[in-house]
Amino acid sequence: MAGFILEAAGTALEEVRSRRPLIHELTNVVTVNDCANITLAVGGRPTMTCSIREVAEMAAAADALVLNLGTLQEHTLEAMHVAAAAAARYGTPIVLDPVGAGGTAWRTGAAGGLIKNYPVAVIRGNASEIQALAAGGKSGVNPGVDSDDKDEADSAGLRKLSTTSGAVIAVTGAVDIVSDGKRTLYCKNGTPLLPYVTGTGCMTTALIGTYAAVTDPFTAALAGILSMGIAGERAVAGRPGAGPGTLHALLMDEIYTLNSETLVSSGKVVAEDE
């Protein structure tokens, strides 16, 4: 299965570059510029429209909708509901990044409400966030947005969350995991420096959203994760003194020069049953 899905990811990259899909992103103010730039670098066209007066119209016109809870406010959450309702009406795929889920009751409930009310295609988070949602919206367990080093994603929990939500679940960490409740893949690309650059998770979600515009959610989740992991590896390869600044500066270049052959040949993907 791993070989087949890698080929599908490569084809999805070619489709993105050919079609240049419009990606509507309601993301957080810390990473909005990086998310827009990485969407451009992979071949999409980002729009970061966030006013409640126009998000419904924009979501209806877009090829995919990305919702990121990073710097969540009451008005941004309201805009996300309006955009998601419009996306659902027009069949626009929705990708959710439940940043900080499990930290506070309000934030965790906000993520759960979006999952419950709209047909989310992919949920991308770290292990702490996904585990909190898989546990039924448990809060107060991770007040920050970074995954607890001791927290590991449980494949059974991922399958349960995928089944109850109808979404593909993508967990990023030392080893990334993608599951649709029936198929589970482990992705081992990346660099230990990725957690030291603010927004690499948000950027991965933006990449998944871009791929979701041209392919199925499972392939989109894998392609987005692989793109970030491989780009991170290539950005620091042959640079023994590389740090977070080097990685951040070169990520866009590596995503821009990424091609389908590299995704297929460099992807370190193992199926759960292999």
Side-chain angles (χ1 to χ4, degrees), residues 113-237:
L114 290 166
I115 294 167
K116 178 181 178 180
N117 288 292
Y118 309 106
V120 176
V122 181
I123 303 170
R124 199 294 312 168
N126 62 41
S128 293
E129 294 158 351
I130 296 301
Q131 290 294 86
L133 295 175
K138 184 178 179 181
S139 63
V141 296
N142 181 30
V145 298
D146 295 319
S147 186
D148 189 325
D149 288 339
K150 299 185 293 296
D151 202 358
E152 295 181 358
D154 171 48
S155 60
L158 303 189
R159 288 193 294 269
K160 178 182 177 181
L161 179 59
S162 180
T163 300
T164 57
S165 67
V168 170
I169 310 302
V171 185
T172 49
V175 175
D176 305 319
I177 309 174
V178 178
S179 179
D180 64 358
K182 297 179 181 179
R183 299 170 293 174
T184 300
L185 294 177
Y186 296 87
C187 312
K188 300 181 180 181
N189 291 96
T191 166
L193 286 177
L194 281 171
Y196 291 92
V197 176
T198 297
T200 52
C202 299
M203 286 186 271
T204 301
T205 303
L207 290 170
I208 292 172
T210 307
Y211 284 114
V214 303
T215 191
D216 65 275
F218 191 81
T219 301
L222 181 72
I225 283 175
L226 282 179
S227 296
M228 176 58 70
I230 293 171
E233 288 177 350
R234 292 164 67 91
V236 300

Side-chain angles (χ1 to χ4, degrees), residues 42-136:
V42 78
R45 294 178 296 130
T47 174
M48 320 310 275
T49 302
C50 58
S51 171
I52 198 169
R53 294 176 179 268
E54 58 182 350
V55 290
E57 186 177 356
M58 187 59 69
D63 296 299
L65 173 66
V66 175
L67 305 177
N68 180 305
L69 305 190
T71 49
L72 194 63
Q73 299 287 335
E74 288 85 351
H75 65 277
T76 56
L77 180 57
E78 186 178 359
M80 287 180 184
H81 276 277
V82 171
R89 285 196 300 273
Y90 287 89
T92 306
I94 303 169
V95 176
L96 174 66
D97 191 331
V99 179
T104 66
W106 181 66
R107 180 176 292 273
T108 307
L114 290 166
I115 294 167
K116 178 181 178 180
N117 288 292
Y118 309 106
V120 176
V122 181
I123 303 170
R124 199 294 312 168
N126 62 41
S128 293
E129 294 158 351
I130 296 301
Q131 290 294 86
L133 295 175

Side-chain angles (χ1 to χ4, degrees), residues 191 193 235-248 250:
T191 166
L193 286 177
V236 300
R239 297 180 175 90
T246 299
L247 176 63
H248 185 264
L250 294 178

